[in-house]
Structures are given as C-alpha cells and as structure tokens.
Amino acid sequence: MKFIPQEYKVKDEPMKNFIDKDEIWDFINNADTSTENVRAIIAKSIAKERLDLAEVASLVQTTDPVLIEEIKEGARELKRKVYGKRIVLFAPLYVGNLCANNCEYCGFKASNTTAKRVTLDEKQLIENVEALEDNGHKRLILVYGEHKKYTPEFIAENVKSVYKVKKGNGEIRRVNINAAPMDIEGFRTVKEAGIGTYQVFQETYNTEAYTKYHTKGQKSNFENRLTSLDRAQEAGLDDVGIGALFGLYDWRFEVLGLVRHTNHLEACYNVGPHTISFPRITDALDSNVSEEFIVSDEEFTKLVAILRLAVPYTGLILTAREPQEIRKEVLQYGCSQVDAGTKIEMGAYAEDAKKEQKLDSEQFQINDERSLADVIDELIETDYLPSFCTACYRAGRTGEHFMEFSVPGFIKKFCTPNAILTLSEYVEDYARPESVEKGWDLINRNLVDLEPKLKAKVEERLEKVKEGERDLYF
Ligand code: SAM
Ligand code: SF4
C-alpha cells in the first residue's frame, strides 16, 4: 500500500505553515476530469491506495452526474468492503462558553454580549455526565470556548472527573476534547489526564477567509492554529482530529486543505489524523457569514464521499448539525462516528424537561434533535451496527482507524465483536422495551458472520453480559 505522497515527505517541516494557496488552486484549475481518469482514481481508492492532491482535485471538479454517482458508489463500496456495518456513537458535552475570540459564525463570540455565559462547575459536570450515562453513552467529547479560565490543567481536571463518574452500570470510557490549541506543555497535561482524541478545526484553510472571520484573540493567528496539531504530536499526543467549517470559503479548496493537512501530519510524524470533521455552518446568534460559499446538500454529500475516497483510513465524524435525512445519506459513504441525543445548551443533559433550542446559550443550531434511543433504532432498522466500543484506545492499540483499514481481518477480529458486546450492554441496560428484541435480533444476525471460534467466544461473553458483567472486550 502506498500512503504518503512522496513530495510532501521531502518538503514538509514540523511546525511550519504548509498551506500554499496557489498550489491548491493550481491542482483544482488543472484537474483532469476525464471519465477515464475519474474512474481510475475511484478504483485506486477502492484498492486501498491513498489519493494525492491532483487526484482529489479531479474528484472535486467532477460535475458529470453519472461520475458523481460513481464517486458516491465508490465511497459506499469502500465503506462496505473495509468498514462493514459498524457506527460508533458519542455525545458532545459543552463545558463552558466563555470566549475571548470573535469568530463571526459562532454564538459564543466575545462581541456577543447577549449570550448567556456558563461554565459547568464540578457538580454540574457530574450531573450532566450522569444524565449521559443514564442514556447509555460511553464516549464523550468535551467542548470549550477559548478563554483563560480553560487552561490545560482545568480541562485535565474535568477529564479526570468525568472518568470517575459511575452511575449504575454507566461509565464514560473515552473522553475526547475540542478546545483551543495549546502549547506543547499544555498538550502533555491533557494527554496525561487520559484523553482520547484532541480536535482542532482549522475552520478554513484559506488565509484571507480566515482573517475575515477570525478578527480577535489567539484564534486570529492562522499559523498558530494550523501548527497546533504539530505541537500536539511533539507532546506525544498523536491522536488528533482535524476539520474544516464548510461555508466560509470554496468547499473544493477546503477539501484539498484537509487532505494537505493530512499529508503534512503523515510526512512529519508518520501518522495521519485520527478523524476528519466537516461541519457545515448552521444558524447562530448574531452570526455574520456571507452567503457566497454556502454548501448545498448536493455539494455536501459529494464532498463527504470524496473525503472517504481521498483518505480512506481516517475516521469521518458526522454531527447533529446535519438534518436526519442528510445524516442517513452520508452514513453510507463511510462516516464512522455520529453523535446522538445531542444537546449543546450548557447543562441541558441534566435538565429533565425537553426544551426548545435557545440560541442565546448555544453555539449554533442543531438540526437533528433525536434521542440516542431514536438514532439507535434507526441504525438498527437500516442494518447498521451501533457501537460504543472504546477497546483499541484502552488496550493501547493506537492508530486504530489505520489498522481497521490496513490490517486484514481487523474489523472482524476486534471491531465487530466489540460493537456486538457494547450494543448488548446497551440493550440490557438502556434500550426502550420495544427496542430490546430488535437489538438482540441484530446482534444475532451479526454473530453469524463471525468465524466459528471467535463466535463462540463472543457468545460466551454475551452470556456474561446477560448475567450482569460489563466492559468485556477484545
Ligand atoms: N472554541 C474552540 C474552537 O473554536 O476551536 C472549540 C469549540 S468550537 C465550540 C467547535 C467547532 O464548532 C468550531 O471549531 C467550529 O468549526 C464549529 N462551529 C462554530 N460555529 C458554528 C456554526 N455556526 N455552525 C456550525 N459549526 C460551528
Ligand atoms: Fe470562541 Fe470557538 Fe466560538 Fe470561536 S468557535 S467564538 S473560539 S467558541
């Protein structure tokens, strides 16, 4: 397998700006979109070879509807062949929305004086984690505004507190972070607290658009943000997530920017990003974003399929910013993680009553407000395998997405059995009565595909789950 485009291995230096906007536009403007070439690129990706920037440019420039459908079918095939049916579920937990920056698209921006500012204290944090555990969640991402209060030590303390919360059979087994970039020492501090992935989205890889939308605070420094995940790597935190906020600039440029960022991390550290996120801008209080680069549903579904083909071994994260129908469609193209039962109003998980979304205390609007139970029901009905697995991270198998992709049999040996086991815990402890039977049916259907020895081992563990044992994994 050929992974890292050689030219960047030679050229890229750690901690240096690697985005050359002319280079990206040259790739886009000179793309070869002939049918022959586009088909060859799709075939290359399905053969598990990573695409280079020229090839990704050809895909983003493809406008022929027949070829776009082939791109999507290619992504579906890669998903089917490599990743199987499993979808990992998580929830975001907004811990604090104090913010010194002024991102024009975000309800938390400093200039937004009407926004209600809240930072969960220890008690509130625990109450919210308990509420999430009561729903069945096992994986969280803690989200923060950018403020001097949210130091690495503060975040590390939060992480440790979250891991300690055990309610009934509930526990959080993996805590990821989405917060401001840190210095090397800071990244070390949060790593030591046991975080999973550290996410920093570049928002836009175009410097002009970046300057237009980030007018204040540390985040106004494009390079500081761009090199932040290099600092994470230097700190030994090699599990990082990148992302672009689609709608700030031309989506084609952003897709190439994400791939260029991937090339950089691979070239300098031999490890690509663990996950790629591709949020589309949604409405926010006092949002000030031009409509020039709004990404249509058609473009969005196409770009997700292209990202799948371009970086086939990285996890793709899809969030509740997208409405249910779009989520359903792009799941087919290889998104591996989705949030569910999402509430982004601070402290909202702990509040019983189902409330309407209020933009004065949220960062932006979400468009899929379904509960975790509803999302799981839909996944089961559409024959996906919902998973709460955290095994690789806890067993020290780092680079799990890479292994899923490149190690033959990895999915069958680890991911599917662990998905089955974590789903069985969910069904036993949290599923709605009417979903229990459907859950076990799905488990039984997935057991059939396992090789006999492994199947026997999984069945043995399923019996133990039924008897009350928890957290059994391979
Ligand atoms: N404050 C930190 C930062 O900016 O990186 C971390 C958290 S921020 C709350 C998480 C992400 O939400 C941002 O990186 C941005 O991509 C996204 N976001 C902000 N405003 C948004 C909006 N109006 N619609 C969709 N996503 C948005
Ligand atoms: Fe602050 Fe992050 Fe919102 Fe920007 S995106 S205003 S840094 S919370």
Side-chain angles (χ1 to χ4, degrees):
M1 270 177 283
K2 196 175 81 192
F3 286 116
I4 305 169
Q6 213 48 36
E7 63 269 31
Y8 299 116
K9 267 201 138 169
V10 176
K11 205 161 81 178
D12 278 14
E13 285 178 54
M15 309 284 184
K16 291 265 162 68
N17 184 353
F18 50 87
I19 291 292
D20 177 344
K21 106 175 159 226
D22 296 334
E23 179 193 57
I24 291 182
W25 275 121
D26 278 350
F27 278 122
I28 295 174
N29 292 330
N30 298 311
D32 174 358
T33 56
S34 63
T35 303
E36 203 182 30
N37 190 44
V38 171
R39 287 192 175 143
I41 294 167
I42 298 169
K44 182 178 172 185
S45 175
I46 293 173
K48 292 186 158 197
E49 272 197 44
R50 169 89 145 67
L51 304 183
D52 63 29
L53 280 182
E55 290 160 338
V56 180
S58 296
L59 298 185
V60 301
Q61 286 295 71
T62 297
T63 50
D64 174 350
V66 174
L67 286 178
I68 292 176
E69 195 38 51
E70 288 183 28
I71 290 172
K72 290 182 173 178
E73 187 45 38
R76 281 191 204 101
E77 189 176 338
L78 199 62
K79 156 93 178 153
R80 276 195 300 266
K81 258 177 60 176
V82 180
Y83 292 102
K85 298 176 183 169
R86 177 180 118 269
I87 301 286
V88 172
L89 294 153
F90 72 96
L93 173 52
Y94 280 71
V95 182
N97 68 354
L98 292 170
C99 195
N101 294 331
N102 222 34
C103 311
E104 292 295 345
Y105 44 80
C106 178
F108 293 168
K109 63 183 164 188
S111 67
N112 210 339
T113 47
T114 53
K116 220 163 76 190
R117 303 285 168 179
V118 182
T119 304
L120 301 184
D121 61 23
E122 175 83 4
K123 182 168 166 284
Q124 292 166 318
L125 180 70
I126 292 170
E127 282 167 2
N128 277 276
V129 175
E130 285 180 341
L132 285 156
E133 288 180 0
D134 281 345
N135 285 335
H137 276 293
K138 299 283 184 277
R139 304 167 65 109
L140 298 187
I141 180 154
L142 303 185
V143 186
Y144 299 82
E146 186 163 330
H147 191 266
K148 58 180 186 309
K149 184 177 170 92
Y150 309 140
T151 60
E153 291 72 24
F154 180 87
I155 293 175
E157 281 313 308
N158 285 174
V159 171
K160 290 182 201 158
S161 300
V162 171
Y163 280 129
K164 278 190 216 141
V165 179
K166 315 261 178 198
K167 174 122 188 269
N169 282 336
E171 61 179 348
I172 300 302
R173 299 174 183 159
R174 177 169 177 139
V175 180
N176 298 332
I177 300 292
N178 185 321
M182 299 180 167
D183 59 17
I184 295 176
E185 208 36 59
F187 280 122
R188 242 179 234 129
T189 304
V190 290
K191 183 184 162 61
E192 277 160 19
I195 65 161
T197 308
Y198 199 99
Q199 287 185 347
V200 176
F201 302 162
Q202 189 58 29
E203 320 296 12
T204 171
Y205 286 91
N206 178 274
T207 42
E208 275 106 53
Y210 191 92
T211 306
K212 175 175 164 195
Y213 287 113
H214 304 97
T215 49
K216 197 175 161 221
Q218 180 184 246
K219 196 163 168 181
S220 58
N221 185 334
F222 177 88
E223 277 196 37
N224 179 276
R225 194 161 177 96
L226 189 68
T227 54
S228 60
L229 297 176
D230 289 51
R231 297 196 291 282
Q233 297 282 350
E234 297 288 337
L237 208 174
D238 60 1
D239 188 333
V240 298
I242 63 172
L245 182 57
F246 281 88
L248 299 181
Y249 190 60
D250 192 306
W251 68 268
R252 299 167 303 166
F253 187 96
E254 306 296 15
V255 168
L256 266 74
L258 287 166
V259 176
R260 184 66 186 86
H261 200 164
T262 302
N263 292 346
H264 173 77
L265 293 172
E266 287 173 343
C268 295
Y269 306 99
N270 247 329
V271 48
H274 191 80
T275 54
I276 298 181
S277 300
F278 32 84
R280 258 195 305 185
I281 289 199
T282 68
D283 200 16
L285 188 67
D286 207 17
S287 171
N288 182 16
V289 180
S290 97
E291 301 206 339
E292 189 180 355
F293 295 116
I294 284 183
V295 178
S296 67
D297 289 350
E298 215 180 311
E299 289 164 336
F300 183 71
T301 52
K302 176 178 157 186
L303 80 83
V304 177
I306 292 173
L307 281 172
R308 175 70 300 151
L309 293 177
V311 195
Y313 54 82
T314 290
L316 294 184
I317 301 185
L318 176 66
T319 70
R321 293 173 181 89
E322 294 301 331
Q324 182 177 355
E325 281 317 304
I326 295 288
R327 301 235 285 177
K328 203 169 169 182
E329 177 175 352
V330 298
L331 268 184
Q332 307 167 37
Y333 308 146
C335 296
S336 42
Q337 295 186 30
V338 293
D339 58 345
T342 296
K343 294 186 181 176
I344 57 176
E345 200 182 323
M346 231 78 48
Y349 291 114
E351 286 165 27
D352 278 334
K354 195 172 182 292
K355 297 195 306 183
E356 300 233 318
Q357 284 189 61
K358 281 201 238 114
L359 279 184
D360 68 342
S361 50
E362 290 177 353
Q363 189 194 13
F364 51 80
Q365 175 108 34
I366 57 168
N367 290 307
D368 183 353
E369 294 189 75
R370 288 174 302 158
S371 65
L372 175 62
D374 287 340
V375 172
I376 288 195
D377 273 357
E378 185 186 81
L379 290 174
I380 293 176
E381 272 153 30
T382 40
D383 204 32
Y384 286 107
L385 179 58
S387 174
F388 295 91
C389 179
T390 53
C392 282
Y393 154 74
R394 291 155 78 222
R397 292 192 295 263
T398 54
E400 71 234 42
H401 283 295
F402 185 81
M403 288 194 276
E404 283 168 25
F405 175 75
S406 59
V407 178
F410 190 90
I411 304 261
K412 282 215 160 139
K413 201 164 149 202
F414 295 107
C415 309
T416 307
N418 288 330
I420 290 174
L421 287 169
T422 54
L423 180 61
S424 75
E425 292 184 348
Y426 176 84
V427 172
E428 285 289 295
D429 293 338
Y430 306 105
R432 293 190 285 230
E434 64 272 24
S435 304
V436 170
E437 199 181 320
K438 284 190 255 173
W440 281 112
D441 279 353
L442 181 80
I443 289 171
N444 290 330
R445 286 205 301 279
N446 279 277
L447 276 172
V448 174
D449 293 336
L450 297 178
E451 116 357 81
K453 261 197 196 151
L454 181 60
K455 180 169 175 266
K457 279 192 200 159
V458 178
E459 281 171 335
E460 196 185 302
R461 290 182 192 201
L462 284 173
E463 284 310 309
K464 289 188 180 163
V465 171
K466 284 181 187 163
E467 285 158 18
E469 267 193 64
R470 293 292 174 267
D471 204 16
L472 303 166
Y473 57 87
F474 292 90

